[in-house]
Amino acid sequence: MIDEKMIASRYRLDKKFVRTFNQWMSQARRSSAGEESRSRILDAAEALFADHGYDGVSIRQITEAAGVQTSMVNYYFGSKDALWSAVFERRSAHLGESRRSRLDALERHHAPASPPLESLIDAFVRPILEARLSGDPGWQSFTRLIAQASNTPNVRNVEQLSQQYDPTARRFIAAFGHALPDRSEEEVMWGFSFLMGAMLHIFAETRRVDRLSDGHYRSASLERITDHLTPFLAAGFRACRAAPDSSRPSEGPAP
């Protein structure tokens, strides 16, 4: 803290100015400490939610892992539901922005034609690969959290997934449809669903491949896996053909 009298005397500064500066510095330090506490809460909640699910984690467990008082969750987030939403929003915003930016660049580069299918798949998958390789361990927890939420379609999870991911997903589904003009909307939709399932399984690093291959191949080798994943998914999109719906009558409107 600056000595107001000494500084004002030495540099002939107004004491009120020095006092205001001291107050500003104090507020800045409190703000920095508050942001650090908030980040620790988000990191702890992210890891615990990924391991145990929303219902398997208490506020006390989160605050103990974060090293903060229980009241801090209410102070920064208001409720456990709001904390859950904040965990989703923090990394989802980054993924969505990166995917849309890549898609925009592809569409500008290839206009008026559609971007190649492989490029579209890479634009969707690459952001999460780069995030996972960034050195931030929270991305592994986050990927497992998204996989868990996708496989547990309760109201809370559906709302978060819809809010954070549906707008970008719809843009990519439309782009996939333009790249595959001989495929129906249903076929493209299922192709995208298969893409999501494969991507979430791979990036969640379940280590199932490690066990099945007796350690010869590792689920942590994400760059190598992605090199296989993109052509595999592209071939799946191109081969996807919807079977006729045998439950519907061959003629006349559906009931």
Side-chain angles (χ1 to χ4, degrees), residues 10 16 24 35 52 67 78 80 82 110 157 165 194 210-211 234 245:
R10 178 173 298 182
K16 183 178 180 181
W24 178 83
E35 185 59 34
H52 307 291
K80 184 180 175 182
H110 292 279
N157 292 342
Y165 293 100
F194 300 151
D210 307 50
R211 295 191 295 274
D245 189 347

Side-chain angles (χ1 to χ4, degrees), residues 8-220:
S9 173
R10 178 173 298 182
Y11 297 102
R12 299 190 179 186
L13 295 175
D14 181 73
K15 290 183 179 180
K16 183 178 180 181
F17 168 81
V18 177
R19 188 176 300 113
T20 300
F21 180 80
N22 277 336
Q23 291 172 348
W24 178 83
M25 288 295 292
S26 178
Q27 290 172 355
R29 283 191 289 269
R30 287 197 299 270
S31 176
S32 177
E35 185 59 34
E36 181 182 350
S37 295
R38 187 177 188 277
S39 294
R40 290 207 307 269
I41 293 170
L42 286 169
D43 290 342
E46 183 176 64
L48 289 169
F49 285 148
D51 287 340
H52 307 291
Y54 178 90
D55 293 322
V57 179
S58 69
I59 292 293
R60 183 173 296 278
Q61 288 173 309
I62 293 170
T63 54
E64 286 178 354
V68 300
Q69 294 180 350
T70 304
S71 60
M72 290 294 97
V73 170
N74 286 331
Y75 178 78
Y76 289 114
F77 304 100
S79 67
K80 184 180 175 182
D81 273 351
L83 173 58
W84 172 263
S85 298
V87 168
F88 261 84
E89 292 167 5
R90 181 172 60 157
R91 299 188 195 273
S92 297
H94 170 82
L95 282 181
E97 182 179 350
S98 181
R99 284 168 172 163
R100 291 189 298 273
S101 176
R102 290 169 182 268
L103 180 55
D104 289 340
L106 283 174
E107 291 178 335
R108 285 195 303 268
H109 179 74
H110 292 279
S114 297
L117 178 61
E118 285 81 0
S119 297
L120 292 171
I121 293 172
D122 185 78
F124 193 83
V125 174
R126 184 70 52 179
I128 198 165
L129 170 66
E130 292 181 351
R132 286 296 313 278
L133 296 176
S134 67
D136 180 352
W139 278 103
Q140 182 177 3
S141 294
F142 182 73
T143 310
R144 289 190 290 113
L145 178 62
I146 295 298
Q148 180 190 111
S150 299
N151 290 323
T152 312
N154 56 39
V155 173
R156 181 186 303 107
N157 292 342
V158 169
E159 286 180 351
Q160 281 300 320
L161 292 170
S162 297
Q163 179 181 344
Q164 299 298 329
Y165 293 100
D166 282 5
T168 301
R170 292 182 191 280
R171 279 200 60 192
F172 272 89
I173 290 168
F176 288 137
H178 293 148
L180 297 166
D182 60 335
R183 293 295 183 267
S184 68
E185 180 182 3
E186 179 186 4
E187 290 162 348
V188 171
M189 194 68 68
W190 282 117
F192 181 78
S193 181
F194 300 151
L195 179 158
M196 286 296 303
M199 185 187 70
L200 290 174
H201 177 77
I202 291 299
F203 288 107
E205 285 188 45
T206 63
R207 295 186 173 84
R208 183 156 174 75
V209 167
D210 307 50
R211 295 191 295 274
L212 292 174
S213 68
D214 295 322
H216 292 295
Y217 311 108
R218 300 185 62 231
S219 57

